[in-house]
Amino acid sequence: MINLYELKKQVELCEKCLQIKNKTKVFGKGNEHAEIMIIGEAPGCEEVKNREPFVGKAGVKLKSYLKEVGFDIEKDIYFCNVLKCRTTDKNKNKKDRRPQKDEIKNCRTFLEQQIEIINPKFIILCGVTAMKFFKIAEPLKNIHGKEITKNGRKIYPVYHPVARVKDKTKIEDLKSIMKSIK
Ligand code: URA
């Protein structure tokens, strides 16, 4: 099996998505032996600047909550995204947009291999893009916070961290999951 270092090198060279202009890659961060993997949608502006997932406003909040519950961010968790590049609107405002189907498809093999290498027991899926990756078709509002078992792993869809910044009640699903894992 390929190791994480070699996989990261492959990701750095990827040029599959023609519609993505800034192809700065944000591969993943954390302990490669962690039992918990948190998968988001795609890096945003801050993540691209720092080349690290979950370092923008929403990510900082997420991590501060995980610390509060008693998790060691460096040791217990591996963070990554479905897409390794930032996806933005074509027009001038360059707002983040949801990844498209073909972009998720282009990036699929990278996350599949990351999961295989890290081999986490628990996977937290932040938002609908991560759910799509796992072919979970149910609406997030019906399924968030619930446990699903796939290939021997426990998978939990939760609201995307940006939704949580806007609506504080949306942190509750993550809270109860992380307490149950602890
Ligand atoms: N930061 C990330 O890296 N990914 C997300 O999905 C949200 C914030």
Side-chain angles (χ1 to χ4, degrees), residues 26 39-44 47 52-59 62 79-83 126-127 160-162:
V26 179
I39 305 176
E41 181 172 277
E47 282 80 15
E52 187 179 327
F54 294 100
V55 291
K57 194 176 165 194
L62 170 75
F79 295 90
C80 60
N81 285 299
V82 174
L83 251 66
C126 295
H160 188 270
V162 171

Side-chain angles (χ1 to χ4, degrees), residues 18 30 34 43 52 78-79 112 134-135 145:
L18 298 174
E52 187 179 327
Y78 186 86
F79 295 90
E112 277 174 354
F134 278 87
K135 305 200 177 352

Side-chain angles (χ1 to χ4, degrees), residues 155-180:
I155 297 181
Y156 307 88
V158 298
Y159 285 106
H160 188 270
V162 171
R164 258 181 243 129
V165 170
K166 291 184 188 146
D167 175 355
K168 291 199 172 45
T169 64
K170 291 193 169 159
I171 190 81
E172 295 305 320
D173 52 6
L174 183 76
K175 273 188 185 173
S176 55
I177 290 164
M178 297 317 278
K179 279 185 188 152
S180 73

Side-chain angles (χ1 to χ4, degrees), residues 2-11 27 32 117:
I2 188 172
N3 63 34
L4 218 50
Y5 176 75
E6 290 297 326
L7 182 62
K8 188 174 179 200
K9 280 208 292 197
Q10 282 186 10
V11 168
F27 180 68
E32 63 177 286
I117 297 165

Side-chain angles (χ1 to χ4, degrees), residues 19-36:
Q19 62 273 54
I20 295 177
K21 289 245 156 55
N22 178 350
K23 291 196 173 71
T24 303
K25 307 299 192 308
V26 179
F27 180 68
K29 178 92 197 284
N31 179 0
E32 63 177 286
H33 304 293
E35 289 197 333
I36 306 168

